[in-house]
Amino acid sequence: MKWGVIVFPGSNCDRDCAHVLADGLGQDVNLIWHGDTSLGEMDAVVLPGGFSYGDYLRTGAIAQLSPIMQAVKEFARAGGLVLGICNGFQILLEAGLLPGAMLPNVGLSFICEDVWVKVENAGTPFTRYYESGHVMRFPIAHAEGNYHTDPVTLAALQANAQIVFRYCREDGTVTDQANPNGSLDNIAGIRNAAGNVLGLMPHPERCAESVLGNQDGQLLFRSMIDAVIAGQD
Amino acid sequence: MIRARIHVTLKSGILDPQGRAIQQSLETLGFSSVNDVRVGKFLEIELNEDDPAQAEQQLKAMCETLLANTVIEEYRYELELQPSRPPS
């Protein structure tokens, strides 16, 4: 299937995503410059991690106004699968494709470490290769991953099973101590109400190869491939 | 011409860890009367516009769409009418 990986000025995980998809999973990958206005024929789009526009003003605030984002919004509205990783998640929030906003980590530090993350909803196109309750080791690397939203939106996220990933302990229990950045309700990743847009702070592309000693992230990309193929049948 | 001064701060009730760290530092320096510190952004925008009502309408739109994220931030602004430059 055809994947578009958007490249913003300051993206730095675009090549990692392309490598995992093309070299690891045999996918057809196009790197798409943020200044382009069309995605072309794509089955899925990835907004990669990085520091688009130097995180000026707010993370993702300037990138969401890039010309290509209009095409990404139309693609999402038409039901196309959109995955935002780390800075990509922040851009999706600023673009209004996902609800809420990011605050600076509660400890004020840039956190670069492996954390435990639990799959809360395995019934999405992004998680169908996981099982609900599955606990994984995912790397995070961010300074603004402290997810925030208003109580009404949080209740809706919970009621609609839109919280897909949460920070947890190794045994899967969700505690304040297991929350690396102060994120509301230990949220590590959410999807939109329609279910075709996912944003997460952890980096699945950094744990998708056996040579790295961790392939937990590969199942996310394979889930998306499976979902697209199933949709085409 | 109108000069606008825009202040963007975290909404009250949202934890401001940076403000808290600064407050603690001020206390360390002996400023024991500091009750609360909130950190925000300050922007100055020069508008090629002489009508305060028009300027305010534009500023509000700028704040709502880009300068502030109203999920977490609030904003306020002051306008200052600048004397027009004499023709050269």
Side-chain angles (χ1 to χ4, degrees):
Chain A
M1 67 184 252
K2 291 190 80 165
W3 293 71
V5 177
I6 312 294
V7 184
F8 297 96
S11 293
N12 64 11
C13 303
D14 44 331
R15 303 271 163 180
D16 305 44
C17 289
H19 163 69
V20 164
L21 288 166
D23 304 329
L25 296 167
Q27 299 297 295
D28 183 359
V29 183
N30 290 268
L31 292 170
I32 301 171
W33 184 235
H34 77 114
D36 291 352
T37 52
S38 166
L39 292 168
E41 284 295 311
M42 290 296 153
D43 296 306
V45 169
V46 180
L47 273 60
F51 301 85
S52 58
Y53 291 91
D55 285 346
Y56 291 167
L57 192 63
R58 295 179 306 276
T59 54
I62 311 285
Q64 71 103 349
L65 296 169
S66 285
I68 196 64
M69 284 307 292
Q70 198 52 45
V72 172
K73 284 179 186 175
E74 282 160 22
F75 182 76
R77 261 183 227 118
L81 292 184
V82 178
L83 170 67
I85 302 166
C86 196
N87 187 222
F89 185 10
Q90 295 163 337
I91 296 168
L92 289 175
L93 292 170
E94 284 284 345
L97 286 169
L98 290 171
M102 285 299 176
L103 290 164
N105 294 343
V106 76
L108 286 176
S109 301
F110 186 99
I111 305 169
C112 182
E113 63 185 20
D114 286 356
V115 296
W116 298 105
V117 174
K118 180 156 85 163
V119 179
E120 291 288 351
N121 182 354
T124 82
F126 306 91
T127 51
R128 53 170 61 193
Y129 272 39
Y130 298 106
E131 284 171 28
S132 285
H134 186 124
V135 177
M136 306 169 299
R137 196 77 170 148
F138 264 15
I140 57 169
H142 59 251
E144 284 94 5
N146 180 358
Y147 179 81
H148 184 85
T149 193
D150 62 85
V152 175
T153 306
L154 177 63
L157 289 175
Q158 291 164 336
N160 301 332
Q162 285 175 252
I163 301 171
V164 180
F165 297 109
R166 291 170 87 200
Y167 302 110
C168 66
R169 297 198 324 190
E170 188 174 359
D171 64 4
T173 48
V174 175
T175 65
D176 286 345
Q177 288 76 20
N179 186 342
N181 52 27
S183 195
L184 196 64
D185 203 26
N186 283 47
I187 286 173
I190 57 169
R191 65 184 176 119
N192 63 345
N196 62 311
V197 177
L198 176 83
L200 78 166
M201 290 313 292
H203 285 272
E205 82 283 11
R206 295 187 189 177
C207 53
E209 291 167 281
S210 58
V211 70
L212 297 176
N214 182 354
Q215 295 187 84
D216 285 342
Q218 195 190 79
L219 294 180
L220 193 150
F221 299 106
R222 287 177 56 196
S223 294
M224 291 173 71
I225 295 167
D226 194 59
V228 167
I229 290 168
Q232 285 167 347
D233 285 343
Chain B
M1 205 176 69
I2 285 174
R3 183 185 295 275
R5 296 190 169 83
I6 304 162
H7 303 260
V8 180
T9 48
L10 287 174
K11 283 180 176 173
S12 59
I14 289 186
L15 181 69
D16 180 356
Q18 211 180 157
R20 183 163 287 186
I22 292 168
Q23 182 182 346
Q24 284 164 359
S25 299
L26 289 171
E27 284 164 3
T28 305
L29 285 169
F31 296 102
S32 54
S33 63
V34 177
N35 240 349
D36 190 26
V37 178
R38 307 289 286 175
V39 178
K41 299 186 187 92
F42 175 69
L43 300 98
E44 267 189 353
I45 296 188
E46 228 178 67
L47 291 167
N48 203 6
E49 174 69 67
D50 291 319
D51 178 0
Q54 280 288 331
E56 193 166 344
Q57 197 183 347
Q58 290 178 43
L59 279 168
K60 196 169 176 354
M62 290 179 203
C63 288
E64 292 283 336
T65 53
L66 177 63
L67 304 181
N69 182 332
T70 54
V71 177
I72 48 173
E73 294 170 325
E74 56 196 9
Y75 61 87
R76 62 188 167 83
Y77 46 77
E78 302 130 25
L79 305 183
E80 190 189 323
L81 194 60
Q82 304 275 306
S84 353
R85 291 192 185 99
S88 52

